[in-house]
């Protein structure tokens, strides 16, 4: 028996099915089934009732579920106790971030953090804001940096850094020479943009609906801001992205909105269960206080 098997068993119980547990854990359904089979062989008992669409516990499974929770809780407390008495900071931290902070902001910060604390491993998962928050709620990440302020039960959400959204167009586009444009200018433009889970898209669409009735069609969508900028550089008419992403490519023109479209990034985290997580959260907040995007 190993802790992965225990975590898998608990995930099946809490998510209601093998398929849901596999999705939450990021592994295949056959891998989940094999872990359960090993547990049942070691325990000498059937843990889940057969023939149910959603996995139901047998009487033996109910007993084992309570024990599994206690074993994982014991491991967590032991790791915390060891971390508290250790003079050196060590451990691992996973951050799930939307693309702007993940691609443009965190790398510089984290290089400095690792130099200070070489015993800590930091992994960054980059996607959109919606995916980052899902990672956090599914315990795939210790903290999230996102472009939308969406509360999660049991988690704290604090402003991290400020960002500005701008219009990017080709260098020969009629708007390229303008210092600023109104949001209503988007009505006549064929946009490349971010996917629906993106905080960038949610923010500018909300601002757009405040001046124009209805929503704006986005025929070409990408998961990362850099892809939007590169699409415009390659011939797409226009896009709306963060200024830090727009200024990364000299082949596009960057035009501000008037009034400006600004939004904060947010750091979202739960209980800092290790000193490594606690230290990284504090470090990032300190860096954010001394820098604006």
């Amino acid at each position: 028996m190993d802790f992965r098997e225990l975590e898998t068993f608990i995930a099946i119980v809490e998510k209601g099915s093998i398929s849901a547990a596999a999705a939450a854990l990021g592994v295949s359904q056959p891998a989940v089934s094999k872990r359960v089979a090993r547990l049942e062989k070691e325990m000498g008992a059937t843990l889940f009732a057969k023939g149910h669409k959603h996995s139901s516990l047998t009487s033996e499974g109910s007993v084992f579920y309570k024990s599994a929770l206690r074993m994982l809780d014991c491991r967590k407390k032991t790791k915390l106790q060891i971390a508290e008495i250790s003079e050196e900071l060590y451990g691992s931290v996973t951050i799930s971030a939307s693309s702007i902070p993940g691609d443009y902001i965190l790398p510089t910060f984290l290089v400095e953090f690792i130099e200070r604390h070489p015993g800590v491993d930091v992994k960054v998962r980059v996607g959109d804001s919606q995916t980052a928050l899902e990672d956090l709620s599914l315990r795939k990440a210790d903290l999230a940096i996102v472009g939308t302020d969406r509360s999660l039960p049991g988690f704290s959400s604090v402003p991290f850094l400020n960002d500005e959204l701008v219009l990017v167009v080709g260098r020969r586009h009629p708007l390229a020479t303008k210092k600023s444009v109104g949001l209503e200018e988007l009505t006549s433009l064929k946009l490349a943009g971010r996917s629906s889970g993106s905080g960038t898209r949610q923010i500018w669409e909300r601002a757009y609906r405040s001046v124009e009735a209805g929503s704006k069609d986005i025929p070409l969508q990408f998961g990362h801001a850099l892809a939007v900028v590169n699409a415009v550089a390659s011939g797409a008419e226009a896009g709306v992205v963060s200024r830090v992403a727009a200024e990364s490519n000299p082949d596009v023109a960057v035009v501000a909105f008037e009034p400006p479209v600004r939004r904060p990034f947010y750091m979202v985290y739960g209980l800092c269960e290790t000193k490594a997580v606690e230290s990284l959260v504090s470090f990032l907040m300190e860096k954010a206080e001394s820098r604006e995007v």
Side-chain angles (χ1 to χ4, degrees), residues 147 162-167 180-184 186 199-211 240-244 255-265 293:
N162 290 323
D163 185 30
E164 180 187 5
L165 303 186
V166 296
L167 180 71
S180 63
V181 296
L183 282 163
E184 63 276 6
L186 298 180
T200 295
R201 180 168 171 180
Q202 293 172 22
I203 294 297
W204 78 254
E205 283 189 333
R206 188 181 308 142
Y208 177 75
R209 287 194 295 271
S210 70
V211 297
V240 179
V241 296
S242 168
R243 179 178 286 278
V244 293
V255 187
F257 288 108
E258 184 58 45
V261 179
R262 297 192 176 97
R263 54 92 182 263
F265 292 116
V293 177

Side-chain angles (χ1 to χ4, degrees), residues 90-193:
Y90 75 96
S92 61
V93 184
T94 298
I95 304 173
S96 194
S98 56
S99 65
I100 297 302
D103 290 336
Y104 297 96
I105 300 170
L106 287 176
T108 301
F109 289 172
L110 294 178
V111 166
E112 182 178 343
F113 180 80
I114 292 300
E115 288 176 349
R116 292 189 189 181
H117 306 289
V120 179
D121 295 325
V122 181
K123 177 181 179 181
V124 181
R125 302 163 63 102
V126 180
D128 56 33
S129 293
Q130 180 178 330
T131 301
L133 291 173
E134 289 175 354
D135 284 347
L136 188 62
S137 65
L138 293 172
R139 295 181 293 181
K140 292 181 179 179
D142 298 295
L143 63 142
I145 310 292
V146 296
T148 56
D149 183 17
R150 202 183 90 191
S151 61
L152 291 176
F155 293 89
S156 300
S157 178
V158 296
F160 180 57
L161 282 171
N162 290 323
D163 185 30
E164 180 187 5
L165 303 186
V166 296
L167 180 71
V168 289
V169 294
R171 285 290 181 183
R172 296 183 180 180
H173 194 279
L175 295 178
T177 57
K178 290 196 171 186
K179 291 185 177 180
S180 63
V181 296
L183 282 163
E184 63 276 6
E185 296 276 4
L186 298 180
T187 304
S188 60
L189 297 177
K190 190 173 182 180
L191 296 180

Side-chain angles (χ1 to χ4, degrees), residues 3 67-79:
F3 287 113
S67 296
L69 290 174
R70 286 196 297 269
M71 284 186 276
L72 288 183
D73 184 58
C74 182
R75 180 187 66 163
K76 181 188 297 184
K77 289 179 179 178
T78 301
K79 290 174 67 176

Side-chain angles (χ1 to χ4, degrees), residues 14-32:
E14 295 180 349
K15 299 299 177 183
S17 69
I18 287 177
S19 59
L25 295 169
V27 298
S28 67
Q29 292 186 41
V32 170

